[in-house]
mmCIF file with all atom_site columns, all heavy atoms in Angstrom:
data_model
loop_
_atom_site.group_PDB
_atom_site.id
_atom_site.type_symbol
_atom_site.label_atom_id
_atom_site.label_alt_id
_atom_site.label_comp_id
_atom_site.label_asym_id
_atom_site.label_entity_id
_atom_site.label_seq_id
_atom_site.pdbx_PDB_ins_code
_atom_site.Cartn_x
_atom_site.Cartn_y
_atom_site.Cartn_z
_atom_site.occupancy
_atom_site.B_iso_or_equiv
_atom_site.pdbx_formal_charge
_atom_site.auth_seq_id
_atom_site.auth_comp_id
_atom_site.auth_asym_id
_atom_site.auth_atom_id
_atom_site.pdbx_PDB_model_num
ATOM 1   N N   . ILE D 1 147 ? -136.206 7.137   -20.882 1.00 98.00 ? 147 ILE D N   1
ATOM 2   C CA  . ILE D 1 147 ? -136.055 6.028   -21.820 1.00 98.00 ? 147 ILE D CA  1
ATOM 3   C C   . ILE D 1 147 ? -137.406 5.326   -21.904 1.00 98.00 ? 147 ILE D C   1
ATOM 4   O O   . ILE D 1 147 ? -138.010 5.031   -20.865 1.00 98.00 ? 147 ILE D O   1
ATOM 5   C CB  . ILE D 1 147 ? -134.999 5.014   -21.321 1.00 98.00 ? 147 ILE D CB  1
ATOM 6   C CG1 . ILE D 1 147 ? -133.670 5.690   -21.011 1.00 98.00 ? 147 ILE D CG1 1
ATOM 7   C CG2 . ILE D 1 147 ? -134.844 3.862   -22.304 1.00 98.00 ? 147 ILE D CG2 1
ATOM 8   C CD1 . ILE D 1 147 ? -132.929 6.235   -22.176 1.00 98.00 ? 147 ILE D CD1 1
ATOM 9   N N   . LEU D 1 148 ? -137.857 5.053   -23.103 1.00 98.00 ? 148 LEU D N   1
ATOM 10  C CA  . LEU D 1 148 ? -139.114 4.323   -23.308 1.00 98.00 ? 148 LEU D CA  1
ATOM 11  C C   . LEU D 1 148 ? -138.831 2.988   -23.993 1.00 98.00 ? 148 LEU D C   1
ATOM 12  O O   . LEU D 1 148 ? -138.197 2.954   -25.053 1.00 98.00 ? 148 LEU D O   1
ATOM 13  C CB  . LEU D 1 148 ? -140.065 5.109   -24.221 1.00 98.00 ? 148 LEU D CB  1
ATOM 14  C CG  . LEU D 1 148 ? -140.402 6.548   -23.864 1.00 98.00 ? 148 LEU D CG  1
ATOM 15  C CD1 . LEU D 1 148 ? -141.427 7.102   -24.873 1.00 98.00 ? 148 LEU D CD1 1
ATOM 16  C CD2 . LEU D 1 148 ? -140.969 6.611   -22.452 1.00 98.00 ? 148 LEU D CD2 1
ATOM 17  N N   . GLU D 1 149 ? -139.313 1.921   -23.392 1.00 98.00 ? 149 GLU D N   1
ATOM 18  C CA  . GLU D 1 149 ? -139.192 0.596   -24.009 1.00 98.00 ? 149 GLU D CA  1
ATOM 19  C C   . GLU D 1 149 ? -140.539 -0.110  -23.924 1.00 98.00 ? 149 GLU D C   1
ATOM 20  O O   . GLU D 1 149 ? -141.074 -0.315  -22.836 1.00 98.00 ? 149 GLU D O   1
ATOM 21  C CB  . GLU D 1 149 ? -138.116 -0.236  -23.301 1.00 98.00 ? 149 GLU D CB  1
ATOM 22  C CG  . GLU D 1 149 ? -136.734 0.388   -23.421 1.00 98.00 ? 149 GLU D CG  1
ATOM 23  C CD  . GLU D 1 149 ? -135.593 -0.495  -22.954 1.00 98.00 ? 149 GLU D CD  1
ATOM 24  O OE1 . GLU D 1 149 ? -135.839 -1.395  -22.132 1.00 98.00 ? 149 GLU D OE1 1
ATOM 25  O OE2 . GLU D 1 149 ? -134.454 -0.271  -23.423 1.00 98.00 ? 149 GLU D OE2 1
ATOM 26  N N   . SER D 1 150 ? -141.053 -0.480  -25.079 1.00 98.00 ? 150 SER D N   1
ATOM 27  C CA  . SER D 1 150 ? -142.298 -1.233  -25.125 1.00 98.00 ? 150 SER D CA  1
ATOM 28  C C   . SER D 1 150 ? -141.949 -2.682  -25.425 1.00 98.00 ? 150 SER D C   1
ATOM 29  O O   . SER D 1 150 ? -141.502 -3.018  -26.525 1.00 98.00 ? 150 SER D O   1
ATOM 30  C CB  . SER D 1 150 ? -143.204 -0.644  -26.212 1.00 98.00 ? 150 SER D CB  1
ATOM 31  O OG  . SER D 1 150 ? -144.412 -1.351  -26.281 1.00 98.00 ? 150 SER D OG  1
ATOM 32  N N   . THR D 1 151 ? -142.091 -3.516  -24.405 1.00 98.00 ? 151 THR D N   1
ATOM 33  C CA  . THR D 1 151 ? -141.754 -4.934  -24.558 1.00 98.00 ? 151 THR D CA  1
ATOM 34  C C   . THR D 1 151 ? -142.984 -5.780  -24.271 1.00 98.00 ? 151 THR D C   1
ATOM 35  O O   . THR D 1 151 ? -144.060 -5.245  -23.963 1.00 98.00 ? 151 THR D O   1
ATOM 36  C CB  . THR D 1 151 ? -140.636 -5.329  -23.580 1.00 98.00 ? 151 THR D CB  1
ATOM 37  O OG1 . THR D 1 151 ? -141.127 -5.183  -22.252 1.00 98.00 ? 151 THR D OG1 1
ATOM 38  C CG2 . THR D 1 151 ? -139.409 -4.440  -23.768 1.00 98.00 ? 151 THR D CG2 1
ATOM 39  N N   . LYS D 1 152 ? -142.835 -7.060  -24.344 1.00 97.00 ? 152 LYS D N   1
ATOM 40  C CA  . LYS D 1 152 ? -143.986 -7.946  -24.141 1.00 97.00 ? 152 LYS D CA  1
ATOM 41  C C   . LYS D 1 152 ? -144.688 -7.696  -22.817 1.00 97.00 ? 152 LYS D C   1
ATOM 42  O O   . LYS D 1 152 ? -145.878 -7.911  -22.691 1.00 97.00 ? 152 LYS D O   1
ATOM 43  C CB  . LYS D 1 152 ? -143.537 -9.404  -24.214 1.00 97.00 ? 152 LYS D CB  1
ATOM 44  C CG  . LYS D 1 152 ? -143.427 -9.850  -25.656 1.00 97.00 ? 152 LYS D CG  1
ATOM 45  C CD  . LYS D 1 152 ? -143.160 -11.337 -25.789 1.00 97.00 ? 152 LYS D CD  1
ATOM 46  C CE  . LYS D 1 152 ? -143.057 -11.692 -27.281 1.00 97.00 ? 152 LYS D CE  1
ATOM 47  N NZ  . LYS D 1 152 ? -142.311 -12.939 -27.499 1.00 97.00 ? 152 LYS D NZ  1
ATOM 48  N N   . THR D 1 153 ? -143.932 -7.260  -21.831 1.00 94.00 ? 153 THR D N   1
ATOM 49  C CA  . THR D 1 153 ? -144.557 -7.015  -20.522 1.00 94.00 ? 153 THR D CA  1
ATOM 50  C C   . THR D 1 153 ? -145.165 -5.618  -20.438 1.00 94.00 ? 153 THR D C   1
ATOM 51  O O   . THR D 1 153 ? -145.643 -5.224  -19.378 1.00 94.00 ? 153 THR D O   1
ATOM 52  C CB  . THR D 1 153 ? -143.523 -7.192  -19.390 1.00 94.00 ? 153 THR D CB  1
ATOM 53  O OG1 . THR D 1 153 ? -142.434 -6.296  -19.640 1.00 94.00 ? 153 THR D OG1 1
ATOM 54  C CG2 . THR D 1 153 ? -143.001 -8.613  -19.341 1.00 94.00 ? 153 THR D CG2 1
ATOM 55  N N   . GLY D 1 154 ? -145.163 -4.883  -21.544 1.00 97.00 ? 154 GLY D N   1
ATOM 56  C CA  . GLY D 1 154 ? -145.780 -3.566  -21.531 1.00 97.00 ? 154 GLY D CA  1
ATOM 57  C C   . GLY D 1 154 ? -144.770 -2.444  -21.665 1.00 97.00 ? 154 GLY D C   1
ATOM 58  O O   . GLY D 1 154 ? -143.603 -2.680  -21.992 1.00 97.00 ? 154 GLY D O   1
ATOM 59  N N   . LEU D 1 155 ? -145.222 -1.225  -21.414 1.00 98.00 ? 155 LEU D N   1
ATOM 60  C CA  . LEU D 1 155 ? -144.360 -0.058  -21.571 1.00 98.00 ? 155 LEU D CA  1
ATOM 61  C C   . LEU D 1 155 ? -143.506 0.138   -20.323 1.00 98.00 ? 155 LEU D C   1
ATOM 62  O O   . LEU D 1 155 ? -144.021 0.173   -19.199 1.00 98.00 ? 155 LEU D O   1
ATOM 63  C CB  . LEU D 1 155 ? -145.232 1.191   -21.788 1.00 98.00 ? 155 LEU D CB  1
ATOM 64  C CG  . LEU D 1 155 ? -144.458 2.492   -22.010 1.00 98.00 ? 155 LEU D CG  1
ATOM 65  C CD1 . LEU D 1 155 ? -143.714 2.473   -23.334 1.00 98.00 ? 155 LEU D CD1 1
ATOM 66  C CD2 . LEU D 1 155 ? -145.403 3.683   -21.944 1.00 98.00 ? 155 LEU D CD2 1
ATOM 67  N N   . GLN D 1 156 ? -142.209 0.253   -20.524 1.00 97.00 ? 156 GLN D N   1
ATOM 68  C CA  . GLN D 1 156 ? -141.289 0.539   -19.434 1.00 97.00 ? 156 GLN D CA  1
ATOM 69  C C   . GLN D 1 156 ? -140.795 1.969   -19.611 1.00 97.00 ? 156 GLN D C   1
ATOM 70  O O   . GLN D 1 156 ? -140.356 2.341   -20.697 1.00 97.00 ? 156 GLN D O   1
ATOM 71  C CB  . GLN D 1 156 ? -140.074 -0.400  -19.477 1.00 97.00 ? 156 GLN D CB  1
ATOM 72  C CG  . GLN D 1 156 ? -140.407 -1.857  -19.704 1.00 97.00 ? 156 GLN D CG  1
ATOM 73  C CD  . GLN D 1 156 ? -141.234 -2.463  -18.582 1.00 97.00 ? 156 GLN D CD  1
ATOM 74  O OE1 . GLN D 1 156 ? -141.049 -2.101  -17.421 1.00 97.00 ? 156 GLN D OE1 1
ATOM 75  N NE2 . GLN D 1 156 ? -142.158 -3.345  -18.930 1.00 97.00 ? 156 GLN D NE2 1
ATOM 76  N N   . ILE D 1 157 ? -140.865 2.743   -18.552 1.00 98.00 ? 157 ILE D N   1
ATOM 77  C CA  . ILE D 1 157 ? -140.402 4.132   -18.592 1.00 98.00 ? 157 ILE D CA  1
ATOM 78  C C   . ILE D 1 157 ? -139.294 4.282   -17.557 1.00 98.00 ? 157 ILE D C   1
ATOM 79  O O   . ILE D 1 157 ? -139.499 3.992   -16.380 1.00 98.00 ? 157 ILE D O   1
ATOM 80  C CB  . ILE D 1 157 ? -141.552 5.095   -18.266 1.00 98.00 ? 157 ILE D CB  1
ATOM 81  C CG1 . ILE D 1 157 ? -142.670 4.908   -19.295 1.00 98.00 ? 157 ILE D CG1 1
ATOM 82  C CG2 . ILE D 1 157 ? -141.057 6.538   -18.238 1.00 98.00 ? 157 ILE D CG2 1
ATOM 83  C CD1 . ILE D 1 157 ? -144.018 5.342   -18.781 1.00 98.00 ? 157 ILE D CD1 1
ATOM 84  N N   . TYR D 1 158 ? -138.135 4.689   -18.004 1.00 97.00 ? 158 TYR D N   1
ATOM 85  C CA  . TYR D 1 158 ? -137.010 4.842   -17.081 1.00 97.00 ? 158 TYR D CA  1
ATOM 86  C C   . TYR D 1 158 ? -136.589 6.298   -17.022 1.00 97.00 ? 158 TYR D C   1
ATOM 87  O O   . TYR D 1 158 ? -136.310 6.902   -18.062 1.00 97.00 ? 158 TYR D O   1
ATOM 88  C CB  . TYR D 1 158 ? -135.831 3.984   -17.536 1.00 97.00 ? 158 TYR D CB  1
ATOM 89  C CG  . TYR D 1 158 ? -136.168 2.531   -17.672 1.00 97.00 ? 158 TYR D CG  1
ATOM 90  C CD1 . TYR D 1 158 ? -136.395 1.967   -18.931 1.00 97.00 ? 158 TYR D CD1 1
ATOM 91  C CD2 . TYR D 1 158 ? -136.277 1.704   -16.554 1.00 97.00 ? 158 TYR D CD2 1
ATOM 92  C CE1 . TYR D 1 158 ? -136.724 0.630   -19.061 1.00 97.00 ? 158 TYR D CE1 1
ATOM 93  C CE2 . TYR D 1 158 ? -136.607 0.366   -16.675 1.00 97.00 ? 158 TYR D CE2 1
ATOM 94  C CZ  . TYR D 1 158 ? -136.830 -0.173  -17.935 1.00 97.00 ? 158 TYR D CZ  1
ATOM 95  O OH  . TYR D 1 158 ? -137.166 -1.495  -18.069 1.00 97.00 ? 158 TYR D OH  1
ATOM 96  N N   . GLU D 1 159 ? -136.554 6.869   -15.837 1.00 94.00 ? 159 GLU D N   1
ATOM 97  C CA  . GLU D 1 159 ? -135.956 8.190   -15.673 1.00 94.00 ? 159 GLU D CA  1
ATOM 98  C C   . GLU D 1 159 ? -134.457 7.962   -15.628 1.00 94.00 ? 159 GLU D C   1
ATOM 99  O O   . GLU D 1 159 ? -133.950 7.273   -14.752 1.00 94.00 ? 159 GLU D O   1
ATOM 100 C CB  . GLU D 1 159 ? -136.469 8.861   -14.395 1.00 94.00 ? 159 GLU D CB  1
ATOM 101 C CG  . GLU D 1 159 ? -137.971 9.078   -14.474 1.00 94.00 ? 159 GLU D CG  1
ATOM 102 C CD  . GLU D 1 159 ? -138.497 10.037  -13.436 1.00 94.00 ? 159 GLU D CD  1
ATOM 103 O OE1 . GLU D 1 159 ? -137.694 10.822  -12.885 1.00 94.00 ? 159 GLU D OE1 1
ATOM 104 O OE2 . GLU D 1 159 ? -139.715 9.998   -13.187 1.00 94.00 ? 159 GLU D OE2 1
ATOM 105 N N   . ASP D 1 160 ? -133.789 8.497   -16.569 1.00 84.00 ? 160 ASP D N   1
ATOM 106 C CA  . ASP D 1 160 ? -132.422 8.101   -16.888 1.00 84.00 ? 160 ASP D CA  1
ATOM 107 C C   . ASP D 1 160 ? -131.444 9.201   -16.503 1.00 84.00 ? 160 ASP D C   1
ATOM 108 O O   . ASP D 1 160 ? -131.313 10.211  -17.182 1.00 84.00 ? 160 ASP D O   1
ATOM 109 C CB  . ASP D 1 160 ? -132.356 7.812   -18.392 1.00 84.00 ? 160 ASP D CB  1
ATOM 110 C CG  . ASP D 1 160 ? -130.948 7.882   -18.907 1.00 84.00 ? 160 ASP D CG  1
ATOM 111 O OD1 . ASP D 1 160 ? -130.031 7.496   -18.176 1.00 84.00 ? 160 ASP D OD1 1
ATOM 112 O OD2 . ASP D 1 160 ? -130.776 8.335   -20.062 1.00 84.00 ? 160 ASP D OD2 1
ATOM 113 N N   . SER D 1 161 ? -130.727 8.967   -15.425 1.00 89.00 ? 161 SER D N   1
ATOM 114 C CA  . SER D 1 161 ? -129.766 9.986   -14.999 1.00 89.00 ? 161 SER D CA  1
ATOM 115 C C   . SER D 1 161 ? -128.472 9.918   -15.781 1.00 89.00 ? 161 SER D C   1
ATOM 116 O O   . SER D 1 161 ? -127.566 10.707  -15.565 1.00 89.00 ? 161 SER D O   1
ATOM 117 C CB  . SER D 1 161 ? -129.476 9.835   -13.506 1.00 89.00 ? 161 SER D CB  1
ATOM 118 O OG  . SER D 1 161 ? -128.814 8.611   -13.279 1.00 89.00 ? 161 SER D OG  1
ATOM 119 N N   . LEU D 1 162 ? -128.356 8.943   -16.673 1.00 96.00 ? 162 LEU D N   1
ATOM 120 C CA  . LEU D 1 162 ? -127.134 8.787   -17.459 1.00 96.00 ? 162 LEU D CA  1
ATOM 121 C C   . LEU D 1 162 ? -127.222 9.529   -18.788 1.00 96.00 ? 162 LEU D C   1
ATOM 122 O O   . LEU D 1 162 ? -126.211 9.868   -19.390 1.00 96.00 ? 162 LEU D O   1
ATOM 123 C CB  . LEU D 1 162 ? -126.851 7.305   -17.712 1.00 96.00 ? 162 LEU D CB  1
ATOM 124 C CG  . LEU D 1 162 ? -126.763 6.428   -16.459 1.00 96.00 ? 162 LEU D CG  1
ATOM 125 C CD1 . LEU D 1 162 ? -126.672 4.957   -16.852 1.00 96.00 ? 162 LEU D CD1 1
ATOM 126 C CD2 . LEU D 1 162 ? -125.573 6.829   -15.598 1.00 96.00 ? 162 LEU D CD2 1
ATOM 127 N N   . HIS D 1 163 ? -128.445 9.731   -19.285 1.00 97.00 ? 163 HIS D N   1
ATOM 128 C CA  . HIS D 1 163 ? -128.683 10.507  -20.504 1.00 97.00 ? 163 HIS D CA  1
ATOM 129 C C   . HIS D 1 163 ? -128.029 9.862   -21.725 1.00 97.00 ? 163 HIS D C   1
ATOM 130 O O   . HIS D 1 163 ? -127.362 10.538  -22.514 1.00 97.00 ? 163 HIS D O   1
ATOM 131 C CB  . HIS D 1 163 ? -128.184 11.948  -20.343 1.00 97.00 ? 163 HIS D CB  1
ATOM 132 C CG  . HIS D 1 163 ? -128.635 12.582  -19.086 1.00 97.00 ? 163 HIS D CG  1
ATOM 133 N ND1 . HIS D 1 163 ? -129.962 12.788  -18.797 1.00 97.00 ? 163 HIS D ND1 1
ATOM 134 C CD2 . HIS D 1 163 ? -127.947 13.053  -18.016 1.00 97.00 ? 163 HIS D CD2 1
ATOM 135 C CE1 . HIS D 1 163 ? -130.068 13.365  -17.605 1.00 97.00 ? 163 HIS D CE1 1
ATOM 136 N NE2 . HIS D 1 163 ? -128.867 13.522  -17.112 1.00 97.00 ? 163 HIS D NE2 1
ATOM 137 N N   . ILE D 1 164 ? -128.209 8.582   -21.858 1.00 98.00 ? 164 ILE D N   1
ATOM 138 C CA  . ILE D 1 164 ? -127.573 7.881   -22.970 1.00 98.00 ? 164 ILE D CA  1
ATOM 139 C C   . ILE D 1 164 ? -128.359 6.618   -23.291 1.00 98.00 ? 164 ILE D C   1
ATOM 140 O O   . ILE D 1 164 ? -128.984 6.028   -22.403 1.00 98.00 ? 164 ILE D O   1
ATOM 141 C CB  . ILE D 1 164 ? -126.103 7.542   -22.626 1.00 98.00 ? 164 ILE D CB  1
ATOM 142 C CG1 . ILE D 1 164 ? -125.393 6.873   -23.790 1.00 98.00 ? 164 ILE D CG1 1
ATOM 143 C CG2 . ILE D 1 164 ? -126.001 6.710   -21.375 1.00 98.00 ? 164 ILE D CG2 1
ATOM 144 C CD1 . ILE D 1 164 ? -123.881 6.882   -23.633 1.00 98.00 ? 164 ILE D CD1 1
ATOM 145 N N   . LEU D 1 165 ? -128.313 6.233   -24.560 1.00 98.00 ? 165 LEU D N   1
ATOM 146 C CA  . LEU D 1 165 ? -128.966 4.989   -24.980 1.00 98.00 ? 165 LEU D CA  1
ATOM 147 C C   . LEU D 1 165 ? -128.216 4.421   -26.176 1.00 98.00 ? 165 LEU D C   1
ATOM 148 O O   . LEU D 1 165 ? -127.719 5.169   -27.025 1.00 98.00 ? 165 LEU D O   1
ATOM 149 C CB  . LEU D 1 165 ? -130.438 5.252   -25.355 1.00 98.00 ? 165 LEU D CB  1
ATOM 150 C CG  . LEU D 1 165 ? -131.314 4.013   -25.584 1.00 98.00 ? 165 LEU D CG  1
ATOM 151 C CD1 . LEU D 1 165 ? -131.429 3.168   -24.318 1.00 98.00 ? 165 LEU D CD1 1
ATOM 152 C CD2 . LEU D 1 165 ? -132.709 4.429   -26.051 1.00 98.00 ? 165 LEU D CD2 1
ATOM 153 N N   . THR D 1 166 ? -128.123 3.093   -26.202 1.00 98.00 ? 166 THR D N   1
ATOM 154 C CA  . THR D 1 166 ? -127.623 2.433   -27.421 1.00 98.00 ? 166 THR D CA  1
ATOM 155 C C   . THR D 1 166 ? -128.709 1.453   -27.864 1.00 98.00 ? 166 THR D C   1
ATOM 156 O O   . THR D 1 166 ? -129.793 1.908   -28.221 1.00 98.00 ? 166 THR D O   1
ATOM 157 C CB  . THR D 1 166 ? -126.257 1.732   -27.186 1.00 98.00 ? 166 THR D CB  1
ATOM 158 O OG1 . THR D 1 166 ? -126.372 0.765   -26.157 1.00 98.00 ? 166 THR D OG1 1
ATOM 159 C CG2 . THR D 1 166 ? -125.180 2.751   -26.816 1.00 98.00 ? 166 THR D CG2 1
ATOM 160 N N   . ASN D 1 167 ? -128.464 0.167   -27.797 1.00 98.00 ? 167 ASN D N   1
ATOM 161 C CA  . ASN D 1 167 ? -129.446 -0.801  -28.294 1.00 98.00 ? 167 ASN D CA  1
ATOM 162 C C   . ASN D 1 167 ? -129.689 -1.857  -27.215 1.00 98.00 ? 167 ASN D C   1
ATOM 163 O O   . ASN D 1 167 ? -129.652 -1.548  -26.048 1.00 98.00 ? 167 ASN D O   1
ATOM 164 C CB  . ASN D 1 167 ? -128.931 -1.418  -29.597 1.00 98.00 ? 167 ASN D CB  1
ATOM 165 C CG  . ASN D 1 167 ? -128.500 -0.371  -30.600 1.00 98.00 ? 167 ASN D CG  1
ATOM 166 O OD1 . ASN D 1 167 ? -127.315 -0.098  -30.729 1.00 98.00 ? 167 ASN D OD1 1
ATOM 167 N ND2 . ASN D 1 167 ? -129.446 0.261   -31.265 1.00 98.00 ? 167 ASN D ND2 1
ATOM 168 N N   . ASN D 1 168 ? -129.899 -3.069  -27.645 1.00 97.00 ? 168 ASN D N   1
ATOM 169 C CA  . ASN D 1 168 ? -130.060 -4.183  -26.711 1.00 97.00 ? 168 ASN D CA  1
ATOM 170 C C   . ASN D 1 168 ? -128.882 -4.259  -25.765 1.00 97.00 ? 168 ASN D C   1
ATOM 171 O O   . ASN D 1 168 ? -127.811 -3.766  -26.093 1.00 97.00 ? 168 ASN D O   1
ATOM 172 C CB  . ASN D 1 168 ? -130.128 -5.504  -27.502 1.00 97.00 ? 168 ASN D CB  1
ATOM 173 C CG  . ASN D 1 168 ? -131.511 -5.749  -28.049 1.00 97.00 ? 168 ASN D CG  1
ATOM 174 O OD1 . ASN D 1 168 ? -132.481 -5.249  -27.523 1.00 97.00 ? 168 ASN D OD1 1
ATOM 175 N ND2 . ASN D 1 168 ? -131.591 -6.534  -29.109 1.00 97.00 ? 168 ASN D ND2 1
ATOM 176 N N   . PRO D 1 169 ? -128.999 -4.940  -24.654 1.00 98.00 ? 169 PRO D N   1
ATOM 177 C CA  . PRO D 1 169 ? -130.219 -5.473  -24.021 1.00 98.00 ? 169 PRO D CA  1
ATOM 178 C C   . PRO D 1 169 ? -131.124 -4.342  -23.518 1.00 98.00 ? 169 PRO D C   1
ATOM 179 O O   . PRO D 1 169 ? -130.754 -3.173  -23.616 1.00 98.00 ? 169 PRO D O   1
ATOM 180 C CB  . PRO D 1 169 ? -129.668 -6.282  -22.840 1.00 98.00 ? 169 PRO D CB  1
ATOM 181 C CG  . PRO D 1 169 ? -128.230 -6.497  -23.110 1.00 98.00 ? 169 PRO D CG  1
ATOM 182 C CD  . PRO D 1 169 ? -127.798 -5.314  -23.908 1.00 98.00 ? 169 PRO D CD  1
ATOM 183 N N   . PRO D 1 170 ? -132.297 -4.710  -22.977 1.00 98.00 ? 170 PRO D N   1
ATOM 184 C CA  . PRO D 1 170 ? -133.165 -3.678  -22.410 1.00 98.00 ? 170 PRO D CA  1
ATOM 185 C C   . PRO D 1 170 ? -132.407 -2.810  -21.414 1.00 98.00 ? 170 PRO D C   1
ATOM 186 O O   . PRO D 1 170 ? -131.416 -3.223  -20.816 1.00 98.00 ? 170 PRO D O   1
ATOM 187 C CB  . PRO D 1 170 ? -134.273 -4.509  -21.725 1.00 98.00 ? 170 PRO D CB  1
ATOM 188 C CG  . PRO D 1 170 ? -134.351 -5.748  -22.561 1.00 98.00 ? 170 PRO D CG  1
ATOM 189 C CD  . PRO D 1 170 ? -132.927 -6.038  -22.950 1.00 98.00 ? 170 PRO D CD  1
ATOM 190 N N   . TYR D 1 171 ? -132.919 -1.605  -21.217 1.00 97.00 ? 171 TYR D N   1
ATOM 191 C CA  . TYR D 1 171 ? -132.210 -0.569  -20.473 1.00 97.00 ? 171 TYR D CA  1
ATOM 192 C C   . TYR D 1 171 ? -131.651 -0.983  -19.109 1.00 97.00 ? 171 TYR D C   1
ATOM 193 O O   . TYR D 1 171 ? -130.544 -0.573  -18.746 1.00 97.00 ? 171 TYR D O   1
ATOM 194 C CB  . TYR D 1 171 ? -133.112 0.662   -20.322 1.00 97.00 ? 171 TYR D CB  1
ATOM 195 C CG  . TYR D 1 171 ? -132.406 1.782   -19.647 1.00 97.00 ? 171 TYR D CG  1
ATOM 196 C CD1 . TYR D 1 171 ? -131.396 2.487   -20.307 1.00 97.00 ? 171 TYR D CD1 1
ATOM 197 C CD2 . TYR D 1 171 ? -132.694 2.117   -18.333 1.00 97.00 ? 171 TYR D CD2 1
ATOM 198 C CE1 . TYR D 1 171 ? -130.713 3.513   -19.675 1.00 97.00 ? 171 TYR D CE1 1
ATOM 199 C CE2 . TYR D 1 171 ? -132.010 3.136   -17.698 1.00 97.00 ? 171 TYR D CE2 1
ATOM 200 C CZ  . TYR D 1 171 ? -131.027 3.823   -18.365 1.00 97.00 ? 171 TYR D CZ  1
ATOM 201 O OH  . TYR D 1 171 ? -130.342 4.824   -17.735 1.00 97.00 ? 171 TYR D OH  1
#
Side-chain angles (χ1 to χ4, degrees):
Chain D
I147 306 292
L148 307 183
E149 297 190 336
S150 180
T151 64
K152 278 187 180 158
T153 57
L155 182 68
Q156 314 296 325
I157 300 156
Y158 303 102
E159 298 195 19
D160 159 35
S161 66
L162 305 172
H163 312 298
I164 183 164
L165 190 62
T166 59
N167 309 100
N168 278 335
Y171 184 71

